[in-house]
Structure formats: C-alpha cells, structure tokens
Amino acid sequence: MRDWCLSLLVNILMSGVASAAPLIYSGYTITFSKGEWADYTLPENQDAILPDIIITRTESMGIFNIATEEIFDLNFSPEGTAWAFPFNNPGATISAANWESLVFEDWQTANGGPGASGPPATVGQDAAVHLVEQDIYLDIRFTDWGIGMEAGGYFAYERAAITPSADFDRDGDVDGRDFLIWQRNAGKANPLQSDGDANFDGAINTADLAVWQSAYANPAITAIIAVPEPNGLLAAGLGLAALLFGWRK
C-alpha cells in the first residue's frame, strides 16, 4: 500500500495544467420519441439529457429546452445547446468525437431552417450536439420528424448515453487531482461535472466520490471513503491526506 500511496501523492503533486478537454459521448444507445399531440409538459414526452437540458416540442415548430424555456425561440432554441449537421458542415464527418473540426450553431441555423433542408432533411443524418455549460459533446441522429400541424409535434431521435465521469479535470484519466477537485468543491451549489459532480445530479457528495473510487479502482482507498454523510466528506479528505502524507515519516 505504501507504493500506491507514494504513487498517488506524486500524481497529485505533478506539475502541469489539465487540458480541460470536453467530455465526449459516442454512439446511439438512447432512443426518444414524442408522439402526435402528446402533452409536451409531461416528463414522459421530454428527453432529460441533463437536469438543465430537457428536450421536447409543442404541437408544431422546433424543439426547445423546457428546463429553461417556455416555447421554441427562433434561431436560439434549445437553450444551452449548439448543433452540427451536414447543412452547416458540408463534407465533414459529423460526430461528437470530431468536435474540433465542426461548426456548432443554434439548432435552426445548423439544420438550415424551413424549406428543402431543415428538420425533415436531418432525419437519418449523423449529427452532434454540444451541451455548452457542461462542455459535453454527444452523437445524435433524428429518426423521424412530424411536418405541419397535422403531425401534432411528433419527433424522434437516438443519441449517445451520458454516463458518470470522475475525470473532473478532463485530462483523460482519473487520479488524485480529480479527488482534490471533488474535496475542494463538496457541497457547492449548482456544480458542474468539472467541479466534482460525477453523476450529473446537481450535487457534490459521497455518491460522486464512489464514482471516483470505482474509476480509480484501487482497493487501498476503500476503507477511507466508506464513511457516512454528511461528516463523511470531511473524513474522507482527512483520511486520504493522512494516508498520503503519513508514509513520509
């Protein structure tokens, strides 16, 4: 265990600044659809991608973020998102993983708006959406789009699933620096994943620490973080600090 402690200590104290890269989620494992004339105010007719990004559509017009908007807003909605479609990225490979090479704009501008292009033309096209505040990129693909009032606002898509991440500094791994970010921000109001909210539930607590533990995958830390709330947050930090620095004596 001494070797592990020294290794983690070195990891934490290493010089250099995290690259702060975005989180990338690829694939199409989540399917969502809103039926004709379905009540868009009901949770079953909304796609809660994140607590503050909840996508739906009224009986017509475009999609919007009902977590922060009352209705679709031209050349703006869904609030908190930016999109890449073939229309605004002609000839490009459209995927979340290729985010650096893509142009991201509001949903209506990105898909071309009303006319021959626009939402109906996006059906079957690979696309990507940027969740701006959290700096997350997702693969997404519309599979159906209801045209006109007679369609009652029907639409459907498939997208990548967002899974918990304890890589708080976004440097591509989970290590001691991520633990320190969690410890420093425990209890912070309205946190981001990069603050230590590993499971995207809007709080930083021992549930997020458990995600870090699982990702770090070292049994030596299990006894330290297996502590009750609320005092567990402080105890976990003190316990790890004692373990790390105690070996120096």
Side-chain angles (χ1 to χ4, degrees), residues 94-207:
I94 314 294
S95 71
N98 195 38
W99 64 275
E100 289 182 288
S101 301
L102 300 177
V103 174
F104 286 83
E105 300 173 284
D106 70 272
W107 176 79
Q108 183 176 358
T109 300
N111 67 44
S117 54
T122 66
V123 173
Q125 293 182 341
D126 291 343
V129 57
H130 183 206
L131 311 183
V132 178
E133 185 176 26
Q134 290 276 13
D135 199 15
I136 292 173
Y137 290 87
L138 298 179
D139 284 339
I140 190 167
R141 181 191 296 132
F142 284 81
T143 56
D144 210 344
W145 183 267
I147 303 174
M149 285 294 296
E150 64 275 13
Y154 177 81
F155 76 104
Y157 59 61
E158 52 190 10
R159 63 168 175 84
I162 293 181
T163 55
S165 171
D167 183 12
F168 305 130
D169 61 7
R170 308 285 183 88
D171 66 350
D173 59 19
V174 175
D175 55 22
R177 286 190 296 268
D178 298 302
F179 172 85
L180 293 182
I181 291 172
W182 170 86
Q183 183 188 36
R184 182 171 63 249
N185 293 310
K188 180 179 180 178
N190 303 313
L192 301 175
Q193 181 275 341
S194 56
D195 295 322
D197 183 14
N199 59 3
F200 302 98
D201 68 349
I204 298 177
N205 50 36
T206 52

